[in-house]
Amino acid sequence: MTLSDFKFVPLTAKIDVQEFDCGEPDITNFLKEDAFNYQNQLMANTYLFIGDDNYIVAYFCISNDCVVDKGEDKGFTKTIFNRLHRRTKIPNTKRIKQYPAIKVGRLGVAVKYQGTGIAYELMDFIKGFSIESQKSACRFLLLDALNKERQIKYYTSNRFEFLLDNDENEVTRIMYYDMM
């Protein structure tokens, strides 16, 4: 079973999201309680993969964002930005204090589809979708990963890297993926 076996649709008021459960209350509840309002306020767009029975297999939401040097008081030391520049090979002449990005705000796979590889396909889909569908430039995908072993392993295996060094003990960790 692959993502291509399911319909890809934007969230609409006609879609019943109440049966969705990914096992993480915050991620599940966002889809049920907040996603449509975020979409109506143009703060994040939510997309679903659904089966023929209208069961939601997976979802993600995205919005515009940027990687920005917020200063040392916010954990963005010169070392952090220098490391980002080295890793991404942004030429010295093109380095700026903020880079266009897309934020993956939430991402969830229904419990019964976890462990099938759908989550990895979903991340590959998001990467491609972000490049093809955006009308403006986007250098990075950003996300606030739940600081749990399973989630960190998933994102690092999808080649996301930690942006900061000082958020190791936080509930979430800022991670990025270089679209180049």
Side-chain angles (χ1 to χ4, degrees), residues 9-76:
V9 297
L11 177 65
T12 67
K14 295 178 181 180
I15 298 172
D16 181 11
V17 298
Q18 294 308 310
E19 297 300 315
F20 181 80
D21 180 19
C22 70
E24 284 290 338
D26 182 54
I27 306 299
T28 296
N29 291 338
F30 177 82
L31 180 60
K32 292 178 179 182
E33 299 169 9
D34 297 321
F36 196 67
N37 290 329
Y38 271 64
Q39 197 158 285
N40 285 339
Q41 293 299 317
L42 301 177
M43 293 171 32
N45 287 331
T46 300
Y47 299 92
L48 313 165
F49 283 91
I50 58 174
D52 292 333
D53 56 357
N54 290 324
Y55 185 82
I56 298 171
V57 173
Y59 88 94
F60 68 94
C61 71
I62 56 175
S63 60
N64 293 324
D65 202 349
C66 69
V67 177
V68 61
D69 181 353
K70 297 179 182 179
E72 293 197 26
D73 61 324
K74 302 289 185 189
F76 287 78

Side-chain angles (χ1 to χ4, degrees), residues 7-178:
K7 291 183 281 188
F8 175 67
V9 297
L11 177 65
T12 67
K14 295 178 181 180
I15 298 172
D16 181 11
V17 298
Q18 294 308 310
E19 297 300 315
F20 181 80
D21 180 19
C22 70
E24 284 290 338
D26 182 54
I27 306 299
T28 296
N29 291 338
F30 177 82
L31 180 60
K32 292 178 179 182
E33 299 169 9
D34 297 321
F36 196 67
N37 290 329
Y38 271 64
Q39 197 158 285
N40 285 339
Q41 293 299 317
L42 301 177
M43 293 171 32
N45 287 331
T46 300
Y47 299 92
L48 313 165
F49 283 91
I50 58 174
D52 292 333
D53 56 357
N54 290 324
Y55 185 82
I56 298 171
V57 173
Y59 88 94
F60 68 94
C61 71
I62 56 175
S63 60
N64 293 324
D65 202 349
C66 69
V67 177
V68 61
D69 181 353
K70 297 179 182 179
E72 293 197 26
D73 61 324
K74 302 289 185 189
F76 287 78
T77 63
K78 288 183 182 181
T79 305
I80 298 288
F81 249 64
N82 285 338
R83 183 176 59 207
L84 179 70
H85 289 135
R86 279 191 311 277
R87 286 183 180 166
T88 59
K89 297 178 177 57
I90 295 173
N92 286 341
T93 58
K94 301 298 180 196
R95 292 181 180 176
I96 54 180
K97 292 211 177 253
Q98 59 186 26
Y99 296 101
I102 292 175
K103 176 83 160 213
V104 180
R106 299 287 196 291
L107 175 154
V109 174
V111 171
K112 78 179 196 177
Y113 290 95
Q114 292 177 9
T116 65
I118 293 282
Y120 289 91
E121 285 185 58
L122 181 61
M123 185 54 71
D124 288 342
F125 179 87
I126 293 169
K127 290 172 184 176
F129 181 75
S130 297
I131 291 171
E132 293 172 14
S133 299
Q134 296 302 317
K135 304 222 183 311
S136 61
C138 166
R139 177 64 191 251
F140 298 101
L141 285 181
L142 292 178
L143 52 86
D144 296 331
L146 285 175
N147 197 4
K148 295 182 177 182
E149 184 178 347
R150 183 177 181 197
Q151 283 78 4
I152 297 299
K153 181 180 176 187
Y154 168 71
Y155 291 120
T156 56
S157 67
N158 276 287
R159 300 189 334 238
F160 278 79
E161 297 184 45
F162 296 108
L163 183 60
L164 304 177
D165 294 327
N166 67 347
D167 61 354
E168 292 173 331
N169 298 317
E170 301 295 326
V171 173
T172 60
R173 297 202 62 193
I174 301 171
M175 298 184 80
Y176 72 94
Y177 173 81
D178 186 356

